[in-house]
Amino acid sequence: MTDVDLLRQESLNAIAACISSAALEEQRVALLGKKGKITEALKTLGGVDAKTRKTLGAALNEIKNDITIAIEAKKAALFSQELNARLASEKIDVTLPAQPIQQGRIHPVSQVIEEITAIFAELGFSVADGPDIEDDDHNFTALNIPESHPARQMHDTFYLQGNGDGKTLLRTHTSPVQIRTMRAGKPPFRILAPGATYRCDSDITHTPMFHQVEGFVIDKNIHMGHLKGCIVEFLKTFFELDNVPVRFRPSFFPFTEPSAEVDIGCKRSRDELKIGEGSDWLEIMGCGMVHPSVLKNCGIDPNEWQGFAFGMGVERLAMLKYGIPDLRTFFESDARWLKHYGFDPLHIPSLVGGL
Ligand code: PHE
């Protein structure tokens, strides 16, 4: 084998032996770079006679050409090989189940609001909200509770400094959302309004801030039967019981007529409360037919439209459903409590997926 053939063979072997793009680049420089073997060999042509220069020059140029082609081919092969290796190492199996989330739980108040919303959404209700800081008109007057009305005292209202008129307050219930919704739109309505409410009251069963879910329906020919059916259906789904004893007990609210309180049948023993059986009753919400004066206050003709409304306490429902014994613990921000009573963020309540 001539020197030229040997140079050619050695160069091609070296290229073939490269196992990475980096090694190939090194090899390219070693062969074709400024001080590379082939470049050096070409430089010697100046010192040989014309005849040799012609044949040797042609042979060296051919080698250079072959090497360039071999390098390009090897480069392409290594590139796809390296890409495939990288893709394989970075592969994510999106069909694997999600990693259980170790930290962070959904608070029972949020969970129960989601559950209630999922149930009423199925019954055609949509969610509305209103501000926590309300005025006297939305919280009381428009709801048929005039200034001198004794019902105002029952509400233990937190009044704010506001503009000094004593008319700004923290809403004592979610019922002002009824007024806001009816004044902003046109009937029919089928609304659910969850949110925080405030009363100046603090003992084992009361916290100054708590949550309510308000619901109301305004349409034509709505009667108490619709209210009853709606509430019973809700309670059955919420407590996941086929049969819940429910009692509608006559009551009074200035903004509904007639008014009722809803009790759910339960059994109280020493340290347990069981929903759906036994001979005890537990009050869980207030409700009634929307008072004609409330409709009038919102520019709705009570001869044409009627409806019902209800309001329930979220913490109480959460305590009953999930066996949480003490209301005050809801707002103590104790991470151990939340870890125990909280919910998996990936479990979003729905009627198909489960509440
Ligand atoms: N707003 C009432 C309360 O907080 C509950 C209620 C709502 C009663 C709607 C009747 C109708 O006690």
Side-chain angles (χ1 to χ4, degrees), residues 155 172-175 178 199 210 212 214-215 253 255-256 259-260 285-288 309-312:
H155 279 237
T172 57
H173 51 176
T174 40
S175 301
Q178 289 187 34
R199 288 184 201 179
F210 58 102
Q212 287 190 337
E214 187 87 6
F253 299 103
F255 34 92
T256 47
S259 304
M285 70 175 92
C287 63
F310 54 85
M312 52 187 130

Side-chain angles (χ1 to χ4, degrees), residues 25-335:
E25 177 58 13
E26 246 173 58
Q27 201 53 56
R28 188 191 65 77
V29 175
L31 294 170
L32 304 178
K34 259 194 207 149
K35 293 204 166 108
K37 263 193 198 167
I38 309 294
T39 320
E40 294 293 340
L42 284 165
K43 278 186 200 158
T44 63
L45 288 177
V48 299
D49 62 83
K51 201 169 160 244
T52 320
R53 189 186 307 144
K54 202 172 170 204
T55 49
L56 186 59
L60 284 175
N61 273 322
E62 206 179 295
I63 294 177
K64 191 179 171 185
N65 219 12
D66 289 351
I67 289 175
T68 310
I69 291 169
I71 287 176
E72 281 313 310
K74 185 73 182 172
K75 204 178 184 174
L78 284 171
F79 176 78
S80 65
Q81 200 176 310
E82 283 167 8
L83 183 66
N84 286 338
R86 208 179 114 201
L87 288 177
S89 77
E90 289 176 1
K91 192 165 102 179
I92 296 172
D93 184 351
V94 292
T95 65
L96 283 175
Q99 293 285 316
I101 292 181
Q102 300 299 336
Q103 269 169 5
R105 309 293 282 173
I106 301 294
H107 195 284
V109 166
S110 308
Q111 180 79 8
V112 165
I113 287 177
E114 286 301 319
E115 291 179 10
I116 298 171
T117 309
I119 298 169
F120 281 102
E122 206 73 13
L123 297 172
F125 284 69
S126 16
V127 172
D129 66 2
D132 290 15
I133 298 174
E134 263 300 0
D135 55 54
D136 181 89
D137 181 49
H138 288 93
N139 197 79
F140 293 124
T141 315
L143 284 162
N144 204 28
I145 318 177
E147 205 140 331
S148 55
H149 200 289
R152 286 208 182 195
Q153 269 125 51
M154 283 159 40
H155 279 237
D156 304 306
T157 313
F158 281 116
Y159 285 96
L160 302 176
Q161 295 294 309
N163 343 329
D165 57 3
K167 302 256 184 228
T168 314
L169 47 86
L170 293 178
R171 66 176 179 190
T172 57
H173 51 176
T174 40
S175 301
V177 184
Q178 289 187 34
I179 305 298
R180 290 189 176 272
T181 310
M182 287 194 277
R183 284 184 179 166
K186 287 212 175 322
F189 297 106
R190 218 182 279 190
I191 298 294
L192 200 67
T197 48
Y198 308 82
R199 288 184 201 179
C200 187
D201 204 354
S202 184
D203 57 37
I204 319 181
T205 53
H206 296 92
T207 49
M209 193 266 310
F210 58 102
H211 297 79
Q212 287 190 337
V213 173
E214 187 87 6
F216 73 101
V217 169
I218 306 290
D219 210 325
K220 291 186 173 162
N221 307 316
I222 296 288
H223 54 71
M224 202 101 182
H226 295 121
L227 165 62
K228 202 173 168 193
C230 189
I231 299 297
V232 170
E233 190 58 36
F234 161 71
L235 291 173
K236 282 204 300 202
T237 318
F238 181 76
F239 287 108
E240 297 170 288
L241 293 168
D242 289 335
N243 228 327
V244 268
V246 183
R247 181 169 81 172
F248 285 73
R249 187 166 33 80
S251 184
F252 174 79
F253 299 103
F255 34 92
T256 47
E257 180 59 35
S259 304
E261 257 157 345
V262 182
D263 296 341
I264 189 163
C266 62
K267 188 168 103 189
R268 284 196 188 96
S269 56
R270 202 143 38 96
D271 43 23
E272 210 193 26
L273 185 96
K274 220 167 160 57
I275 297 292
E277 53 186 65
S279 53
D280 296 315
W281 295 98
L282 195 83
E283 180 202 318
I284 48 169
M285 70 175 92
C287 63
M289 302 306 292
V290 177
H291 198 291
S293 302
V294 174
L295 294 171
K296 276 190 225 151
N297 289 340
C298 300
I300 294 173
D301 180 0
N303 292 317
E304 200 183 339
W305 304 94
Q306 307 77 42
F308 62 80
F310 54 85
M312 52 187 130
V314 175
E315 287 81 1
R316 166 158 288 197
L317 287 169
M319 288 167 80
L320 290 174
K321 182 165 175 180
Y322 295 112
I324 308 174
D326 187 344
L327 170 70
R328 291 169 300 183
T329 56
F330 276 73
F331 308 112
E332 279 170 356
S333 299
D334 185 333

